[in-house]
Amino acid sequence: MLKTESPSSQHLELDQYPTEQLAAAFADDQLNAVQAVRAVIPAIAQAIEAAVPRIEAGGRLLYVGAGTSGRLGVLDSVELYPTFSWPYERAVAILAGGAEAMFKAVEGAEDDRAQGARDLLALNPGKDDVVLALAASGTTPYVLGAIEAARGAGALAIGIANNPGAPVLREADFGIILDTGNEIISGSTRLKAGTAQKIVLNTISSAIMVRLNKVYGNLMVDLKPTNAKLFARTVRLTMHATGADETTARKTLEQCGFHVKVAVVALLKKTTVQQAQGLLDQAKGSVRGALGR
């Protein structure tokens, strides 16, 4: 039996717990998700280092999964645009059962290996693409089909699973095992197994964006402001990075379409926004490089 499916020997009277104890049991078990991720940091780092040159060369992040794993892939993909101005077409997620499965379980879709391959091939994967294939069990046929298709097309396949020795780990170019063990509610991998997967996805995609110069220090300087909250954030970030007052920061941002990177370089180098953009272009988007630091 898969470790993620085996009944837990703890909390055998879970249904009898008072509410506070019940909530504590669920929350405390999530700590095991963090520990599982921490245990495989070297493997995660290797996958990131293999992915970065491909993404730098114009590749895409392609996410594949079923059920909770697939929905986590969708979540990570759509958040890259507002956070890092990453084009939607370069972060694409496919989910067993199609778009409908994002909101409603599509039974049996995950068992179709051939469909996983077809859905992945429909994206026309190439040698610069990076496929993030997720399956808590590590045995999901849909995901295995996508991995096979990805590798056949020369794309980099990173398999993420929660059971040691799972096929998803063996068949990918890089396997990341998140050994979260059994769940408090037997087999419910939407719990800590899902949490561990989300941590890894956040880690991989965010680290890639850092390597692509989307971050200055620890500041989000390449965000895409799409609402009032994010426009306000661009002003605060610019003020923090440059020491400028709010009026100056806002005026400079208005001149460059609220692109924090450009405003920061313009203010610190005391140049026009056009000159600042030129410096960034020469430095491949690196604020440090543009500043000569």
Side-chain angles (χ1 to χ4, degrees):
M1 182 180 294
L2 297 173
K3 291 180 73 173
T4 52
E5 296 292 328
S6 62
S8 174
S9 61
Q10 301 181 43
H11 308 291
L12 299 181
E13 296 182 352
L14 186 72
D15 59 343
Q16 300 295 308
Y17 285 2
T19 303
E20 187 171 330
Q21 184 180 2
L22 181 63
F26 282 119
D28 290 346
D29 199 46
Q30 295 290 326
L31 296 174
N32 293 310
V34 178
Q35 292 172 356
V37 175
R38 289 289 306 167
V40 292
I41 290 298
I44 296 171
Q46 288 178 351
I48 292 167
E49 290 175 352
V52 168
R54 296 179 185 239
I55 303 300
E56 283 182 325
R60 299 169 294 171
L61 289 169
L62 305 178
Y63 301 75
V64 183
T68 297
S69 298
R71 296 182 191 103
L72 289 170
V74 173
L75 178 63
D76 200 70
S77 71
V78 300
E79 290 184 343
L80 295 181
Y81 176 77
T83 309
F84 300 110
S85 296
W86 191 249
Y88 282 120
E89 63 271 18
R90 293 188 66 191
V92 182
I94 58 173
L95 179 60
E100 178 187 357
M102 188 68 192
F103 306 99
K104 182 179 179 181
V106 179
E107 300 300 334
E110 69 177 55
D111 297 327
D112 193 336
R113 180 169 181 139
Q115 189 62 50
R118 286 193 294 269
D119 287 352
L120 195 284
L121 290 174
L123 300 177
N124 297 311
K127 63 180 179 61
D128 292 327
D129 290 328
V130 176
V131 177
L132 297 165
L134 301 109
S137 68
T139 63
T140 307
Y142 180 89
V143 176
L144 291 170
I147 289 174
E148 182 180 11
R151 296 192 68 187
L156 179 72
I158 300 172
I160 302 168
N162 297 80
N163 283 295
V168 161
L169 304 173
R170 294 198 307 268
E171 296 187 19
D173 295 296
F174 288 88
I176 297 174
I177 167 61
L178 303 173
D179 192 2
T180 46
N182 48 25
E183 300 283 359
I184 284 183
I185 297 178
S186 303
S188 184
T189 51
R190 60 181 284 273
L191 297 174
K192 67 174 176 287
T195 299
Q197 289 181 0
K198 187 177 191 306
I199 294 171
V200 167
L201 289 178
N202 283 170
T203 300
I204 292 174
S205 61
S206 297
I208 289 172
M209 294 300 139
V210 171
R211 288 290 179 256
L212 295 180
N213 299 317
K214 300 286 186 177
V215 174
Y216 172 50
N218 64 351
L219 302 180
M220 184 195 306
V221 293
D222 216 357
L223 75 160
K224 182 69 68 174
T226 55
N227 56 40
K229 177 188 72 175
L230 293 180
F231 276 106
R233 184 179 296 168
T234 66
V235 177
R236 290 196 303 273
L237 287 168
T238 302
M239 293 171 63
H240 182 84
T242 65
D245 59 61
E246 182 175 353
T247 300
T248 302
R250 186 177 295 276
K251 181 180 178 181
T252 307
L253 284 163
E254 288 173 349
Q255 294 172 358
C256 60
F258 284 83
H259 195 172
V260 176
K261 270 187 175 184
V262 178
V264 168
V265 173
L267 287 167
L268 291 178
K269 295 287 285 188
K270 303 186 186 307
T271 67
T272 66
V273 295
Q274 291 79 12
Q275 291 171 324
Q277 183 63 68
L279 291 170
L280 282 164
D281 291 343
Q282 292 173 22
K284 297 182 179 181
S286 168
V287 172
R288 288 190 187 279
L291 295 174
R293 296 181 176 177

